[in-house]
């Protein structure tokens, strides 16, 4: 496998924004190069968030993505200690923007009411993530994360999207669960 990152860095001086588009592979071997590029852009004086677009990467290794998130959290923690205003952060895009994805994938796409989705999903034997129990969500997260390393037969971008959706549902529930635990503990 080719471990070349092939980053395309776009800096808009007028807006003070930066974007790094990864066109190659994000692997454990190429992750340090991406972190180097992020630090390099930050040293250029870009104080707004940097966007790292992985949506067009040839390959994204799940362990490299997890490691990248860990590295970015450590980078933000270090910046928080130095700057009183806080870290500007780095945004990771793992899917193409919705307007581009919809336009490219389906020309007949129409928005629908989420309640209208329940019946067809039930008929297909599927459920909304909001209907999963916490244990089922964690099991689904583990299963999808395990499949990310197996490029055969699975669309990497589709799996990343599923993994992100599960993570968002878990994150959405965390404040409510914490409040519930706090209320029951008082």
């Amino acid at each position: 496998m080719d471990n070349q990152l092939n980053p395309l860095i776009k800096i808009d001086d007028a807006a003070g924004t930066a974007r790094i588009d990864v066109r190659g592979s994000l692997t454990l071997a190429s992750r340090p190069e991406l972190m180097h590029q992020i630090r390099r852009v930050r040293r250029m004086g870009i104080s707004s968030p940097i966007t790292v677009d992985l949506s067009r990467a040839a390959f994204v290794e799940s362990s490299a993505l997890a490691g990248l998130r860990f590295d970015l959290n450590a980078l933000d923690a270090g910046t928080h200690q130095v700057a009183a205003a806080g870290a500007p952060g780095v945004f990771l895009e793992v899917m193409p923007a919705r307007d581009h994805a919809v336009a490219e994938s389906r020309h007949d796409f129409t928005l629908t009411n989420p309640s209208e989705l329940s019946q067809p999903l039930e008929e297909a034997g599927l459920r909304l993530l909001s209907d999963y129990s916490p244990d089922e969500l964690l099991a689904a997260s583990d299963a999808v994360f395990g499949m990310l390393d197996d490029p055969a037969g699975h669309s990497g971008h589709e799996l990343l999207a599923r993994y992100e959706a599960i993570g968002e549902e878990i994150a959405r529930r965390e404040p409510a669960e914490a409040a519930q635990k706090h209320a029951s503990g008082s």
Side-chain angles (χ1 to χ4, degrees), residues 119-171:
Q119 184 66 25
L121 288 175
E122 286 176 17
E123 290 172 3
L126 302 172
R127 294 183 294 160
L128 297 173
L129 286 176
S130 58
D131 295 339
Y132 278 54
S133 72
D135 291 336
E136 288 174 319
L137 272 178
L138 291 175
S141 175
D142 289 344
V144 172
F145 190 81
M147 288 189 286
L148 283 169
D149 279 333
D150 180 18
H154 299 290
S155 168
H157 296 296
E158 181 183 332
L159 286 175
L160 280 173
R162 288 181 185 181
Y163 187 71
E164 288 289 322
I166 293 168
E168 287 174 6
E169 178 62 23
I170 291 171

Side-chain angles (χ1 to χ4, degrees), residues 171-184:
R172 184 188 68 77
R173 291 182 185 188
E174 285 177 350
E177 291 173 2
Q180 189 178 34
K181 285 181 184 178
H182 180 68
S184 66

Side-chain angles (χ1 to χ4, degrees), residues 17 52 66-67 75 81-82 89 99 116 121 132 142-143 164 170 182:
T17 61
V52 176
L75 181 68
Q81 293 171 0
V82 175
D99 54 345
E116 295 172 4
L121 288 175
Y132 278 54
D142 289 344
E164 288 289 322
I170 291 171
H182 180 68

Side-chain angles (χ1 to χ4, degrees), residues 19 55 93-106 109 111 161 164-165 168:
R19 179 177 193 85
S55 67
E93 289 182 0
V94 294
M95 292 191 52
R98 287 196 182 276
D99 54 345
H100 297 301
V102 169
E104 290 175 7
S105 63
R106 293 190 53 195
F109 180 82
L111 293 175
E164 288 289 322
E168 287 174 6

